[in-house]
Amino acid sequence: MLEGKAMIQDTDMPLKMQIQAMASASQALDHYDVVDCKSIAGHIKKDFDKNYGSGWQCVVGKNFGCFFTHSEGSFIYFKLETLNFLIFKGISSSSSH
């Protein structure tokens, strides 16, 4: 585990899920080089798909913009070490309002 503490920028996730997101990110950083953002994101996505059902998306990097719609209670954006992490579950077309 990394010694660094994650700084949450924004979230609507339940606390338990927030903790899982940061733990998964920390584990991914232990397994992959910090420049391998695609593998880090894949690790986190697979972890969330396994624990919370399929449909999760993960973006990892130092500088990115995004615009998306997410399911209520499924969004977190945080910084850990030198990277930013965005994790969310998209809304399927059959459940959108």
Side-chain angles (χ1 to χ4, degrees):
M1 288 290 248
L2 289 169
E3 297 300 316
K5 184 172 166 65
M7 291 181 16
I8 297 174
Q9 307 294 321
D10 197 9
T11 188
D12 73 351
M13 275 184 179
L15 183 58
K16 184 178 178 184
M17 202 178 278
Q18 293 176 37
I19 292 167
Q20 177 64 36
M22 293 178 283
S24 185
S26 183
Q27 290 167 359
L29 288 171
D30 285 345
H31 285 81
Y32 301 101
D33 193 290
V34 72
V35 297
D36 190 1
C37 294
K38 187 174 178 181
S39 294
I40 293 168
H43 175 93
I44 296 166
K45 180 198 173 3
K46 288 175 190 165
D47 185 46
F48 265 69
D49 282 348
K50 183 179 91 176
N51 288 308
Y52 302 108
S54 64
W56 288 89
Q57 308 299 318
C58 183
V59 181
V60 177
K62 292 186 179 189
N63 186 11
F64 59 85
C66 59
F67 188 86
F68 61 92
T69 303
H70 70 284
S71 299
E72 188 174 336
S74 73
F75 160 77
I76 189 167
Y77 178 62
F78 63 95
K79 182 174 181 133
L80 179 62
E81 299 298 317
T82 60
L83 295 176
N84 297 304
F85 295 81
L86 171 64
I87 306 167
F88 66 96
K89 189 169 191 172
I91 297 176
S92 66
S93 58
S94 61
S95 66
S96 60
H97 305 297

